[in-house]
Amino acid sequence: MDKLFVIAIGGTGMRCLEAFTHLCSIGMFDNQEIEVLTLDTDQNNGNKARVEELITLYNRIKTNGAMSGGTPNANTFFSAKLNLHRFSTNYSGPGRESYKNLSKISTGSPEQQKANKLISDLFLDNDTVQEFDLAHGYRAQTHLGSMLMYHGIIEAARNILKGTNVQIEERELEAFMNKLEQAGATARVFIFGSVFGGTGASSIPVIPKALQDFVKIRSKGASSIDFSKAKFGSTLLTEYFTFAKPDDQQKATKNDRIIADSSFFPINSQAALQFYQNDPTVKKCYKLLYHIGWPIESKKVDEGKSSKTITGGSEQTNPCHITELLCACAAYDFFTRNAGFDNGQADYLYKAVEFKDNSFNFSFDDFVGKENNAGENFVNRLGAFFSLAHISLSLNGAADGDIGIKGFINRCNEQKLDQYSSITDIECKEINEYFKLFAYAFDDAKFIPGWLYQVRGTVAPGRFIFDSKAFLNNKTELKNIDVGAIFQDEKYHWSKGGLFGSRYDSFVKKLINTGPKDEQKVNTTKEKFLAHIYNALTISQNFNLN
Amino acid sequence: MQSVSAYIISIGITFIFLLASALISTSIKFEGGSHPKDAQKRKTWFWILALLNPVVIFLLGYFAFKPDANIMVVNKYVSALGVGTAIGFFVYLIAGFILSKLFKNGKLGHWF
């Protein structure tokens, strides 16, 4: 079995990683321990903070006592073990704020300074590109970004080799690289990022080479990454959102003279795709590139927000989009496929989705394909997790601060199944918090859509796996939601249970009559509890999973 | 002979009450929510029927099945009916307890 690695770069990469983490939580990556690296220039980026918080929460849910992050399981929720590593290039110290300062072009002999300036001015605009504040990323200046991201990784390798003043994030990168080096030819590395923006677009072409050189530098040439054996894959994600155009007042500030302008995203994407089609380094390093795009009008992400263009930082918390879920599904394909890695150069993959009446209609198989019933497995797991989220958040009131998942432990206790009573209230609260990020929460009376609601919002009124009645956002209606009837196809609804029954009643009967199984490889009480609920939900949904 | 019929009536009615209690418990749906009341409802119905059982045994035995015979026979029947009523009450509880433990993970498990 290959060892799996995920690298998320830039704001879009972080949101793809968010989707990937949710795929892990519904149980799509059985028996896997996945090394995750978040890579950004912007330490305070809101999307980065959000996904790191999500993975930390995921790990707390899997943690048991001293066993941080738990162990990999199968056919259950939170089945994969995720090891999070964080690295960000350092542009905050004195002399590191802009390209001009960082590259020290004004040092050395007068001849060197002259040559430095000439070559810099040849590629990078003197007043703008060389001077903008790098703390908010590369602002769609990919020619600068590629060079600086490569530099950031190489600088980390040199610092680690020297062993003095090694930063925490450099240690985290080193830990990730140790695992990658150990995996050798069995490594499968998938990279999330966009091709139209700044940090991701700058980094995707250079990351494999930068990682290879990191290994070479740190090992003093004794070790390397063999691109003919290690498998690298990535998304070529073209533009799918827009934001407010920066006005002259904002651009008048020296630090903000360069701001990514979303009106250029389509042309950026076009240029990037031409580059990926022809660049020999990309073709050599990558085995598979998944072309993902949004061929209709892009949605504005800053509607109702500040009129100023958000360049990065904690304010950059763009909502989630279905293209990011498709990127996560591309990672699933890359990690689970057995063929397609023998080509001498990168292969480009894509597929299409039905577009009718001005909206997309997604079916089961549009996400992870249908080989080995993958589509049914995906929808079964997503549906089970969504139903469980509804039960915990609305029926058991966790969205309002009530007990949520603890209700299942109480129910098991009522049914004299008291093996789960050692699960603490804090542990239950963590699971409830995860559901809030996955589905929805309430801030007093205000409805806050979580990841799945946001994703569905980008498809509506088109078809998206579940019935529109599964996406209620009114507190009173949610209290009475039929959690067993969330699918469009009635054959996946929970049984009504006869004359005196109900869907929920028949589900609880299944909960009582089932339990965790050996093949699920669950060891701790919490893992057994989640596997138990997973089994009852799976039986209730009647999918053909064989 | 009359005392035997009093005992049969008691056991028969007790069996019917147990069956009714089980049917009521089964028909009460499992509830979701943070404070489900279904378990309490089943328990309450079990104990209501437990109290009603001896009353019904005695009243039905006395007014519907009392033999039309001499006072000696009637007295014997009534005293057997009294004993049968008590037996019916305890049989209901003991059988309920056994059923509750046999199906402890199901709805009947809520009785005890």
Side-chain angles (χ1 to χ4, degrees):
Chain A
M1 192 165 70
D2 283 350
K3 171 79 180 154
L4 310 185
F5 296 85
V6 169
I7 302 175
I9 313 169
T12 302
M14 298 304 157
R15 290 193 302 281
C16 294
L17 178 59
E18 196 174 340
F20 180 82
T21 307
H22 287 305
L23 287 194
C24 293
S25 69
I26 68 170
M28 290 302 288
F29 295 94
D30 289 342
N31 299 314
Q32 295 291 353
E33 182 168 353
I34 305 171
E35 306 299 325
V36 177
L37 176 68
T38 56
L39 191 55
D40 212 331
T41 57
D42 183 357
Q43 288 190 49
N44 302 315
N45 181 278
N47 287 123
K48 180 173 183 280
R50 190 167 74 187
V51 73
E52 286 174 356
E53 183 194 333
L54 184 74
I55 296 175
T56 306
L57 183 59
Y58 180 104
N59 281 335
R60 281 211 306 273
I61 289 167
K62 277 190 78 70
T63 294
N64 179 56
M67 199 187 288
S68 178
T71 52
N73 319 119
N75 294 318
T76 181
F77 301 126
F78 302 97
S79 59
K81 176 173 162 56
L82 300 180
N83 298 325
L84 176 64
H85 311 268
R86 288 159 287 205
F87 178 72
S88 53
T89 46
N90 176 14
Y91 299 130
S92 58
R96 300 184 69 89
E97 309 90 341
S98 64
Y99 168 80
K100 206 167 246 177
N101 296 342
L102 188 66
S103 57
K104 296 187 176 72
I105 55 174
S106 307
T107 59
S109 65
E111 289 77 24
Q112 282 173 328
Q113 284 185 37
K114 195 178 167 194
N116 285 344
K117 186 163 170 28
L118 280 171
I119 200 160
S120 291
D121 290 352
L122 181 63
F123 291 108
L124 310 164
D125 187 79
N126 183 27
D127 282 344
T128 55
V129 179
Q130 290 187 37
E131 293 215 1
F132 73 81
D133 182 4
L134 293 167
H136 281 190
Y138 302 133
R139 305 184 186 215
Q141 304 302 306
T142 47
H143 53 315
L144 171 80
S146 292
M147 182 169 58
L148 290 185
M149 181 52 80
Y150 178 83
H151 164 265
I153 291 171
I154 298 307
E155 187 183 42
R158 288 184 180 142
N159 287 344
I160 291 162
L161 188 66
K162 274 193 286 184
T164 51
N165 292 328
V166 183
Q167 304 294 309
I168 296 169
E169 59 267 22
E170 290 173 335
R171 286 283 175 227
E172 292 202 27
L173 178 63
E174 186 189 22
F176 179 85
M177 293 305 298
N178 284 342
K179 300 258 177 73
L180 186 60
E181 202 179 338
Q182 276 167 22
T186 64
R188 283 197 198 194
V189 188
F190 198 81
I191 299 167
F192 290 125
S194 75
V195 300
F196 58 89
T199 311
S202 304
S203 307
I204 291 174
V206 296
I207 280 293
K209 179 75 181 138
L211 299 183
Q212 187 188 50
D213 289 350
F214 180 101
V215 173
K216 279 184 190 167
I217 291 168
R218 203 189 44 167
S219 65
K220 296 180 185 169
S223 184
S224 182
I225 295 172
D226 183 352
F227 288 131
S228 66
K229 289 177 182 158
K231 301 164 195 81
F232 278 80
S234 180
T235 49
L236 298 180
L237 177 55
T238 53
E239 86 286 353
Y240 64 95
F241 65 83
T242 63
F243 46 77
K245 208 174 165 68
D247 57 22
D248 291 342
Q249 194 189 347
Q250 190 177 359
K251 286 174 98 172
T253 324
K254 191 179 170 188
N255 281 350
D256 279 344
R257 221 171 277 167
I258 290 281
I259 299 178
D261 185 338
S262 61
S263 63
F264 295 130
F265 281 175
I267 206 154
N268 289 357
S269 297
Q270 212 170 21
L273 291 180
Q274 281 180 354
F275 167 79
Y276 283 102
Q277 176 85 9
N278 298 313
D279 184 66
T281 311
V282 167
K283 282 177 151 181
K284 192 178 88 179
C285 297
Y286 287 98
K287 301 284 183 206
L288 293 168
L289 290 163
Y290 294 81
H291 189 179
I292 296 167
W294 189 246
I296 57 172
E297 192 186 350
S298 302
K299 199 177 174 182
K300 271 192 135 182
V301 291
D302 52 3
E303 259 172 347
K305 289 186 183 170
S306 149
S307 59
K308 196 178 161 193
T309 305
I310 297 164
T311 53
S314 58
E315 281 183 89
Q316 196 186 48
T317 52
N318 299 351
C320 302
H321 196 280
I322 194 158
T323 52
E324 295 148 10
L325 172 59
L326 292 168
C327 289
C329 292
Y332 174 85
D333 178 80
F334 184 76
F335 288 151
T336 53
R337 64 165 49 229
N338 298 317
F341 297 116
D342 302 326
N343 297 337
Q345 60 178 30
D347 204 359
Y348 299 82
L349 304 178
Y350 60 91
K351 62 180 173 184
V353 173
E354 183 192 280
F355 187 72
K356 202 175 167 189
D357 301 330
N358 209 27
S359 52
F360 283 107
N361 293 307
F362 285 87
S363 72
F364 293 6
D365 301 331
D366 289 327
F367 295 92
V368 292
K370 49 188 168 188
E371 204 175 323
N372 301 323
N373 272 349
E376 297 231 347
N377 262 300
F378 165 67
V379 178
N380 172 56
R381 287 164 199 233
L382 186 64
F385 203 72
F386 191 27
S387 292
L388 185 59
H390 269 317
I391 294 169
S392 298
L393 296 172
S394 286
L395 262 59
N396 295 355
D400 259 345
D402 209 340
I403 61 171
I405 195 92
K406 177 85 180 171
F408 280 95
I409 297 171
N410 292 349
R411 168 57 64 192
C412 288
N413 286 342
E414 286 273 19
Q415 304 310 132
K416 318 282 191 301
L417 300 166
D418 52 6
Q419 62 267 43
Y420 306 123
S421 50
S422 63
I423 297 173
T424 65
D425 289 355
I426 292 171
E427 289 172 321
C428 291
K429 206 174 169 191
E430 286 167 351
I431 300 173
N432 292 337
E433 287 304 313
Y434 193 95
F435 286 136
K436 287 183 193 174
L437 297 174
F438 175 80
Y440 53 87
F442 282 98
D443 182 8
D444 288 330
K446 190 184 169 201
F447 179 81
I448 301 165
W451 173 76
L452 191 65
Y453 269 66
Q454 290 174 28
V455 166
R456 189 260 177 180
T458 59
V459 183
R463 205 172 57 222
F464 173 65
I465 306 173
F466 304 109
D467 195 278
S468 57
K469 289 199 283 287
F471 290 98
L472 301 172
N473 56 14
N474 175 291
K475 203 182 271 191
T476 317
E477 285 177 346
L478 276 167
K479 272 278 171 209
N480 299 313
I481 190 169
D482 189 350
V483 290
I486 60 170
F487 291 99
Q488 285 172 335
D489 192 337
E490 278 189 25
K491 74 177 177 182
Y492 304 122
H493 290 182
W494 302 354
S495 159
K496 282 181 183 165
L499 190 62
F500 295 110
S502 70
R503 293 192 207 281
Y504 190 78
D505 184 73
S506 70
F507 161 68
V508 176
K509 281 178 190 161
K510 289 180 176 83
L511 186 73
I512 294 164
N513 294 323
T514 186
K517 295 171 187 163
D518 288 344
E519 60 263 30
Q520 291 177 295
K521 297 177 188 164
V522 285
N523 303 309
T524 68
T525 307
K526 209 167 21 173
E527 285 173 349
K528 286 177 184 169
F529 172 63
L530 288 168
H532 187 160
I533 298 178
Y534 172 90
N535 292 344
L537 289 164
T538 297
I539 297 166
S540 300
Q541 292 181 160
N542 302 311
F543 278 93
N544 174 22
L545 303 175
N546 298 312
Chain B
M1 188 59 202
Q2 280 72 22
S3 44
V4 172
S5 60
Y7 295 137
I8 289 169
I9 289 163
S10 303
I11 296 301
I13 292 171
T14 299
F15 176 76
I16 290 165
F17 266 71
L18 258 179
L19 196 67
S21 191
L23 283 173
I24 290 169
S25 290
T26 312
S27 65
I28 295 170
K29 294 169 199 165
F30 285 121
E31 291 174 13
S34 51
H35 303 290
K37 295 182 178 70
D38 57 297
Q40 189 55 47
K41 280 183 198 166
R42 286 183 201 103
K43 196 175 220 172
T44 305
W45 272 107
F46 175 80
W47 284 102
I48 287 171
L49 293 182
L51 296 175
L52 277 178
N53 177 39
V55 175
V56 171
I57 290 172
F58 194 83
L59 292 179
L60 214 60
Y62 193 85
F63 292 107
F65 297 108
K66 194 171 72 175
D68 189 15
N70 63 48
I71 189 75
M72 289 274 288
V73 173
V74 170
N75 282 346
K76 211 170 171 183
Y77 172 80
V78 170
S79 71
L81 188 63
V83 173
T85 301
I87 289 171
F89 178 68
F90 286 110
V91 165
Y92 179 91
L93 292 185
I94 292 163
F97 182 79
I98 292 167
L99 282 172
S100 181
K101 295 300 161 193
L102 271 177
F103 302 102
K104 65 174 183 174
N105 302 133
K107 289 178 174 176
L108 304 194
H110 293 156
W111 288 350
F112 286 94

